[in-house]
Amino acid sequence: MIKAAILGYGVVGSGVYEIIHKNEKSISRKTGGKTITVKHILDLRDFPDHEQPELFTKNYEDILHDPEVSIVVEVMGGLKPAYEYSKAALLAGKNVITSNKELVAEHGTELMAIAKEHDVNYLFEASVGGGIPIIRPLNQCLAANEIEEIYGILNGTTNYILTKMVAEGADFDGALSEAQRLGYAERNPEADVEGYDACRKIAILASLASGKYVNWRNVPTEGITKITRSDVAFAEKYHAVIKLVGAAKIVDGEVYCRVSPMVIPAGHQLSEVNDVFNAILVKGDSIGDVMFYGRGAGKLPTASAVVADVIDAAKHIHINKFITWKEAKEDFMIDPETVTSRYFVRANSEGVMDSFPNAESLGNENGEWFFVTEEMTEAEFKKVFADRGAFIRVLEA
Ligand code: HSE
């Protein structure tokens, strides 16, 4: 019998409880006969109508000092008190499973090292891509590869909003409210729409893929709040859609990483990823392209990835799975200004296009001119463009 505790009984925490109960028998089959039960749930709120109200505690010490608890599921989100609680559990020789990308992106290096020292595991499959398997594939199934590129639609809320804007001409606020109602959005919607959530996720993937800790602070990040209906309409004229993309490239051990809206031409694998769905396209040197697709947010999809980690931890009691990256001393981040792209431009005067003799014109509307440039470095582009409007990078097929 394996006893687990859940920290935080919100959307994901209640999903974890539900799946562990609902699928108890099949889970036990997958752990080789060990039954997993929830012994404690930590939450400051009261749940008097819960089927097992006796599980609830407001005191973390009840969990930390319970020798029967070998797996702690941290689904509180945020850094405080999740960091202290996770660290204390690992130091006490308990496995910690999390969906908390903010915590993994900030303190993952330290928490994985503590887990290793104590022969336990710090697992975080649900921190990126919700229910989609991506952390374990990068660490295990694709382990033979040098990972060269990752392009991910990593935020369900923004993908949901952009899909509604394209398909229904919905306005931004209405689509965001609906995403919040459906339980996709972060508590603070800024984290979704300004790209901060996707930033933490691509930083985690780039760290795993490169083996070097990519600090999310070094990832240039831009959200979707400045995208207009005209951008969406003229991208459509270009046979493309606009999506928020987390991108990482690894070249000779150096890493390029960015989060920004991108214009994705029809036919590209990511162009068809709609609603709350996430997708992550990985290029490995041996496998080539491999794509992971599924529900990137929501109660049961995210809980499904958390419970998979719980099962993995139950199968590896006192065996560290060696998931880690290192803090690199040298500067290994590629200057984003040196990276090349084509640019989808919304210019504020007709003359701007004259500065780009090879540009493809898309037309104009209400004093704005739309065109797509030839491929050039970001530094070259910005010098010529000189802030005369707005631009979105084009993702090549
Ligand atoms: N707010 C996140 C999203 C939740 O919309 O994708 C999953 O990390």
Side-chain angles (χ1 to χ4, degrees):
M1 177 86 81
I2 303 275
K3 305 238 168 158
I6 301 173
L7 312 185
Y9 202 66
V11 174
V12 181
S14 58
V16 169
Y17 173 86
E18 191 179 320
I19 292 178
I20 288 180
H21 273 250
K22 180 166 69 95
N23 297 346
E24 188 183 301
K25 282 207 178 104
S26 66
I27 289 174
S28 152
R29 184 159 45 79
K30 285 160 200 160
T31 58
K34 295 177 200 164
T35 305
I36 297 174
T37 58
V38 176
K39 187 168 179 199
H40 305 282
I41 301 173
L42 180 79
D43 203 294
L44 293 176
R45 295 164 296 176
D46 292 313
F47 294 87
D49 299 330
H50 194 273
E51 60 185 7
Q52 291 186 285
E54 71 282 4
L55 299 187
F56 285 85
T57 174
K58 294 182 170 53
N59 184 1
Y60 182 53
E61 303 290 311
D62 293 343
I63 293 166
L64 190 62
H65 300 304
D66 183 339
E68 280 192 347
V69 171
S70 57
I71 300 178
V72 172
V73 176
E74 182 275 298
V75 281
M76 315 174 85
L79 297 181
K80 282 186 184 169
Y83 168 61
E84 284 79 8
Y85 287 2
S86 300
K87 187 170 171 175
L90 293 167
L91 287 168
K94 299 182 193 299
N95 296 277
V96 176
I97 312 300
T98 189
S99 58
N100 188 338
K101 55 251 151 182
E102 205 182 335
L103 183 56
V104 177
E106 183 73 29
H107 294 294
T109 322
E110 182 194 5
L111 296 173
M112 284 185 282
I114 297 174
K116 188 166 180 295
E117 276 163 30
H118 290 78
D119 292 325
V120 288
N121 286 292
Y122 183 61
L123 302 178
F124 45 91
E125 181 62 66
S127 66
V128 181
I132 306 173
I134 182 62
I135 304 293
R136 196 166 283 98
L138 281 177
N139 272 307
Q140 289 178 208
C141 321
L142 301 177
N145 288 261
E146 295 284 340
I147 302 300
E148 295 170 340
E149 292 180 10
I150 301 175
Y151 293 101
I153 294 177
L154 299 168
N155 184 269
T157 300
T158 46
N159 207 35
Y160 185 83
I161 293 171
L162 290 171
T163 304
K164 294 273 167 208
M165 285 173 83
V166 173
E168 297 169 17
D171 70 10
F172 181 87
D173 291 335
L176 172 61
S177 306
E178 184 63 3
Q180 285 172 316
R181 193 187 64 75
L182 292 167
Y184 303 151
E186 297 298 307
R187 275 174 294 187
N188 165 12
E190 229 192 327
D192 292 304
V193 299
E194 296 295 356
Y196 309 148
D197 174 75
C199 166
R200 303 308 191 279
K201 291 170 177 170
I202 194 68
I204 293 170
L205 296 183
S207 301
L208 277 175
S210 67
K212 294 175 183 166
Y213 172 57
V214 174
N215 190 322
W216 58 269
R217 292 174 187 79
N218 298 332
V219 178
T221 297
E222 197 183 316
I224 64 164
T225 52
K226 293 185 187 133
I227 293 172
T228 65
R229 285 192 194 190
S230 304
D231 291 335
V232 170
F234 278 90
E236 214 173 331
K237 272 194 164 182
Y238 185 60
H239 305 293
V241 287
I242 300 172
K243 304 267 180 205
L244 185 68
V245 175
K249 287 186 193 187
I250 300 150
V251 184
D252 299 330
E254 296 204 312
V255 180
Y256 162 78
C257 204
R258 173 189 290 287
V259 172
S260 68
M262 293 196 91
V263 166
I264 309 183
H268 189 285
Q269 296 97 315
L270 294 178
S271 69
E272 297 289 333
V273 178
N274 290 320
D275 295 312
V276 72
F277 283 89
N278 282 195
I280 303 141
L281 178 65
V282 178
K283 284 180 199 265
D285 67 342
S286 304
I287 193 168
D289 284 0
V290 54
M291 171 117 151
F292 300 87
Y293 172 85
R295 288 185 186 275
K299 176 176 170 170
L300 292 180
T302 308
S304 127
V306 173
V307 177
D309 274 349
V310 171
I311 295 169
D312 206 9
K315 286 162 75 175
H316 294 92
I317 293 287
H318 302 309
I319 304 170
N320 178 263
K321 293 195 68 194
F322 197 67
I323 300 170
T324 192
W325 52 67
K326 285 193 178 135
E327 296 267 4
K329 292 206 173 65
E330 80 278 16
D331 177 14
F332 61 92
M333 296 303 287
I334 295 172
D335 176 359
E337 300 280 305
T338 64
V339 173
T340 63
S341 172
R342 289 187 298 146
Y343 303 87
F344 171 96
V345 175
R346 175 184 3 118
N348 57 19
S349 75
E350 194 173 3
V352 181
M353 206 172 120
D354 296 341
S355 310
F356 297 93
N358 299 315
E360 178 184 345
S361 174
L362 300 172
N364 65 85
E365 184 185 80
N366 301 328
E368 293 179 319
W369 280 260
F370 291 83
F371 60 89
V372 176
T373 71
E374 66 191 291
E375 188 171 337
M376 60 185 82
T377 67
E378 191 137 336
E380 283 168 332
F381 168 75
K382 284 182 176 166
K383 196 170 156 205
V384 178
F385 181 55
D387 280 334
R388 290 175 290 170
F391 70 92
I392 305 176
R393 296 165 195 86
V394 177
L395 182 58
E396 301 302 332

